Amino acid sequence: MDFVLEVEQVCRARLASKLLSRGRIPTGCGVLDAALGGGFGRGMLTELFGGPASGRTQAALSACATAVSAGAAAVYVDADGSFLPERARELVDARRPPELNVCELSNPWIELALDRWLLYRVCSFDELAAGFAHVV
């Protein structure tokens, strides 16, 4: 397990240095990343809106997974109850460095990454404002 954590730290450092040098978190969609100048801005609040099945949730989840996989923290605000922890786990696992070919149900690299993913479920604007005040 110590070897896994050491490799995880090296891989995370490589990905983090790429993200930090760009100052952007990729969404996973090339067209959207291009429109945003490389992805979502680090340390910024970004609101996604659009019609049903337009990819809002996927873009937000992908960006969060990329950020936490690189060692950064991410905040996901779930205003409609659509957040699925299983999907978050899948997306983080998909970003696992190839050096960490761990075939375990409990993968320490995934657990460490998911610990950096903050989830806020809100039902009203007041809850949303209170949540942001807590994060900032």
Side-chain angles (χ1 to χ4, degrees):
M1 184 158 158
D2 290 333
F3 172 74
V4 170
L5 292 178
E6 286 178 28
V7 172
E8 182 268 337
Q9 289 173 345
V10 170
C11 297
R12 187 178 66 197
R14 283 188 215 144
L15 182 56
S17 68
K18 289 179 186 176
L19 291 175
L20 289 173
S21 67
R22 290 195 312 226
R24 312 298 283 174
I25 303 292
T27 65
C29 173
V31 174
L32 182 56
D33 286 341
L36 294 171
F40 297 127
R42 289 179 45 85
M44 300 176 76
L45 173 65
T46 303
E47 178 184 11
L48 299 176
F49 57 92
S54 62
R56 299 178 314 270
T57 301
Q58 181 62 31
L61 291 175
S62 292
C64 286
T66 299
V68 299
S69 296
V75 178
Y76 183 88
V77 178
D78 183 9
D80 62 2
S82 64
F83 182 83
L84 298 173
E86 301 82 21
R87 183 66 180 137
R89 178 177 286 281
E90 289 172 3
L91 289 167
V92 169
D93 189 35
R95 287 155 177 77
R96 179 176 24 129
E99 297 89 15
L100 289 177
N101 190 12
V102 179
C103 298
E104 299 176 11
L105 185 58
S106 176
N107 184 330
W109 187 83
I110 294 173
E111 300 307 322
L112 288 170
L114 289 174
D115 283 346
R116 294 184 291 270
W117 192 324
L118 305 174
L119 171 65
Y120 284 99
R121 288 200 168 126
V122 298
C123 297
S124 69
F125 180 77
D126 291 337
E127 287 181 7
L128 181 64
F132 289 133
H134 181 281
V135 171
V136 179

